[in-house]
Amino acid sequence: MTLFREMARRRRVRRTRIDLAGLTADQLRDIGLTQREADAEVRRSLFLVTDRTVLPK
């Protein structure tokens, strides 16, 4: 994998985690995730704030 592709992949993953952090409990349920699972995934990103009220949608 080239450096460019790896950087693009990491940006997509980060954006997905930011979006995931902004979902409500109902939205998480719609996609088959619990709050605990979503929070665990968001915490995997080193530089994201894990307080769900602070993250942009």
Side-chain angles (χ1 to χ4, degrees):
M1 187 177 297
T2 68
L3 179 60
F4 177 76
R5 285 185 181 170
E6 178 61 18
M7 289 173 59
R9 185 192 69 78
R10 288 181 187 217
R11 277 194 309 272
R12 282 192 309 273
V13 169
R14 183 176 189 279
R15 182 72 244 169
T16 299
R17 287 179 178 152
I18 289 170
D19 291 342
L20 187 61
L23 296 179
T24 65
D26 289 334
Q27 292 169 322
L28 289 170
R29 192 171 34 256
D30 286 345
I31 62 171
L33 291 176
T34 65
Q35 188 73 53
R36 180 177 285 180
E37 292 168 326
D39 289 343
E41 183 61 33
V42 169
R43 281 192 304 271
R44 291 183 68 192
S45 189
L46 297 176
F47 302 110
L48 289 181
V49 177
T50 58
D51 180 1
R52 298 171 69 72
T53 62
V54 175
L55 291 170
K57 173 72 175 130

